[in-house]
Amino acid sequence: MSDNAFDLTRRLFLDRVVQAAALAGMAQLAPWAAASAADPIGRDRVRLGVIGTGDRGRALIQNILKTRNCAVAAICDDYAPHLDKARALLPAATPAFTDHRAMLDAGGIDAVVIATPLHVHAIQTFDALDAGLHVWCEKAMARTIADCTAMVTRSQAAGRILQIGHQRLFNPTYLNALARARAGEIGTITQVRASWHRNRDWRRAVPPGSDLERKLNWRLYRESSAGLMTELATHQIQVANWFFGALPTRVMGSGSICFWKDGREVYDHVALIFDYPGGRKLVYTSLLNNARYGCEEQIMGHKGSIEPELGRIYAETPPRVPGLQQMRRDVAKGRRRTIPIGGATWFPELPVTTPGESLGWGEYDESMLQFEAFAEAVKTGTPAPGLLREAYHASVASLLGESAMDAGQPISWPSGLAFEKLEA
């Protein structure tokens, strides 16, 4: 693809994002879009220093390299194999550091990108803010609610941008889905079902004879991670908050080390219910030993359903054929299956298999777009409205979910704990 063709693709992509954000009052739901539309391709690149060059950090570097208003100006990692892999993605002259404080002291950057283990997000954010830099940080925000709160208040006191990596906020399919839900197409939303299922142990190989187990496998230990809740669930809690337009009132759940009995401390299987005002619920499950249903959300209203991860919207189906009629049709077509018989008026409660309607725009890169929006925020000194609020509430909810599972009893949303209180 030529440079001109790629530029056109990006511009069309941005146009579609802004169009989706404009539907059904989306200026309030995704207010960052207006800022992105003002100057989507900035003339001057914002210089980013990337802290953490593991798998996720390198993926972010590759996304940054696709943008037209960001540049990777420095990289940092205290694990040499990761740093060497990141060097291979960048010009040889790109400065590389093994201590993030040395990178901050060296200057030459406008902002940092933090893609390190969860438990060091807060201190690295504080160090960058103290150095006068803006911060883009991976989700979840931090290991504790206190640190999440401190990250918000410190960024506000410093007058610097703090943006958290919730890329669904930039995904045109999700924006279109939210616009159509807010327009009433699926009726009153009463339940969101979400899951993120994988079939791998999350364990990384440790060099023989080294003491790097907890460093490389930080996701498996409580001191550095809440496991499935902070590594995966925050994305989908944010989606539920978004579609409900509210915060959870309480959460209950059960977690276990059910399959990977390898010395890990975090749960490999979780099931939770988040209550929302009006009796609405987010039902969330995540496990690490079966990937059949993968990552999905089901937004369920009385007129229809939306599955944004699959890019589909479905209307509720008309009355189904009574069971005996269905059986006669199956016999006529040579189909064989066991069905219960409850009389001629019995309706089989089977999953809906209608194809639904596409929500559109399957070819895009929302991870790239979030950095372009971050760069524009850095240039103007104005945070994109709504992003930090969404991230803060999702991180807090994920940590409350961990607490509820540990306690074995419901945990209520803490009184007075909301982003708007921090802004006051």
Side-chain angles (χ1 to χ4, degrees):
M1 179 180 290
S2 70
D3 289 343
N4 288 340
F6 182 67
D7 186 52
L8 177 62
T9 300
R10 180 193 282 101
R11 288 183 184 278
L12 288 174
F13 167 54
L14 286 166
D15 286 344
R16 286 178 171 179
V17 172
V18 175
Q19 289 168 11
L23 293 173
M26 287 294 291
Q28 292 181 335
L29 303 173
W32 54 266
S36 298
D39 182 19
I41 309 300
R43 291 183 177 84
D44 301 318
R45 292 175 183 253
V46 171
R47 301 168 298 172
L48 303 177
V50 179
I51 307 173
T53 58
D55 289 347
R56 185 58 181 164
R58 294 193 302 275
L60 295 179
I61 288 172
Q62 292 172 318
N63 278 292
I64 293 167
L65 294 176
K66 298 175 186 177
T67 69
R68 291 293 181 90
N69 57 1
C70 300
V72 177
I75 54 175
C76 175
D77 202 301
D78 61 3
Y79 185 55
H82 288 170
L83 196 60
D84 290 342
K85 289 180 180 179
R87 279 192 176 110
L89 301 174
L90 298 164
T94 305
F97 300 86
T98 58
D99 187 302
H100 73 278
R101 289 173 293 267
M103 185 180 77
L104 301 180
D105 291 341
I109 57 176
D110 305 303
V112 299
V113 171
I114 297 175
T116 53
L118 178 67
H119 67 301
V120 294
H121 283 185
I123 187 61
Q124 291 173 345
T125 294
F126 300 155
D127 288 345
L129 293 172
D130 290 346
L133 299 174
H134 305 277
V135 177
W136 187 99
C137 182
E138 261 296 351
K139 63 84 205 150
M141 288 183 69
R143 184 63 187 90
T144 67
I145 293 175
D147 275 347
C148 293
T149 302
M151 288 169 69
V152 173
T153 56
R154 290 279 288 268
S155 67
Q156 292 172 341
R160 293 294 181 267
I161 307 300
L162 173 61
Q163 184 172 315
I164 309 300
H166 280 276
Q167 62 264 31
R168 284 168 175 79
L169 290 163
F170 296 85
N171 186 314
T173 301
Y174 278 78
L175 290 171
N176 192 24
L178 185 58
R180 295 180 69 165
R182 291 296 170 91
E185 288 195 36
I186 63 170
T188 300
I189 299 171
T190 57
Q191 186 178 113
V192 175
R193 295 194 302 185
S195 62
W196 202 325
H197 298 163
R198 292 176 171 177
N199 196 346
R200 57 178 182 268
D201 61 5
W202 246 354
R203 181 169 291 284
R204 298 176 183 274
V206 177
S210 74
D211 59 354
L212 297 175
E213 167 61 23
R214 286 183 176 264
K215 179 182 180 66
L216 296 181
N217 287 309
W218 60 271
R219 289 180 180 85
L220 306 183
Y221 298 100
R222 286 296 189 100
E223 65 185 2
S224 48
S225 175
L228 294 167
M229 296 308 298
T230 47
E231 300 310 306
L232 299 180
T234 45
H235 279 305
Q236 293 168 302
I237 294 171
Q238 182 272 314
V239 170
N241 292 349
W242 214 14
F243 277 82
F244 283 139
L247 300 179
T249 57
R250 69 171 186 167
V251 57
M252 62 194 83
S254 174
S256 60
I257 301 175
C258 181
F259 186 82
W260 297 107
K261 301 181 185 298
D262 55 1
R264 71 185 58 208
E265 298 170 355
V266 301
Y267 301 134
D268 66 0
H269 188 173
V270 302
L272 304 101
I273 299 175
F274 291 83
D275 285 340
Y276 286 78
R280 299 170 294 174
K281 299 183 186 336
L282 162 63
V283 180
Y284 183 79
T285 63
S286 185
L287 53 85
L288 288 175
N289 67 288
N290 185 297
R292 170 66 178 87
Y293 294 101
C295 175
E296 61 179 358
E297 301 101 15
Q298 298 162 350
I299 318 297
M300 303 167 69
H302 78 288
K303 293 182 180 179
S305 303
I306 290 175
E307 297 183 0
E309 190 71 28
L310 298 178
R312 311 297 294 180
I313 181 170
Y314 306 87
E316 285 288 281
T317 57
R320 284 168 286 178
V321 178
L324 292 179
Q325 291 184 35
Q326 182 64 54
M327 183 175 67
R328 283 197 296 269
R329 292 180 183 181
D330 287 344
V331 170
K333 293 181 179 180
R335 296 174 182 164
R336 295 183 180 181
R337 60 175 171 170
T338 300
I339 62 169
I341 299 298
T345 60
W346 173 78
F347 291 86
E349 298 287 344
L350 301 174
V352 175
T353 57
T354 54
E357 177 188 340
S358 173
L359 291 165
W361 309 327
E363 296 297 326
Y364 44 73
D365 191 338
E366 65 271 20
S367 294
M368 177 200 77
L369 182 58
Q370 68 181 334
F371 283 110
E372 294 199 343
F374 176 61
E376 294 307 310
V378 168
K379 288 180 183 182
T380 63
T382 303
L387 298 187
L388 187 54
R389 179 183 64 246
E390 292 285 342
Y392 176 72
H393 289 152
S395 289
V396 168
S398 72
L399 294 169
L400 291 177
E402 178 193 32
S403 296
M405 290 187 291
D406 289 346
Q409 61 185 23
I411 299 289
S412 295
W413 189 274
S415 177
L417 184 64
F419 186 81
E420 289 72 16
K421 300 286 186 181
L422 302 180
E423 292 183 308

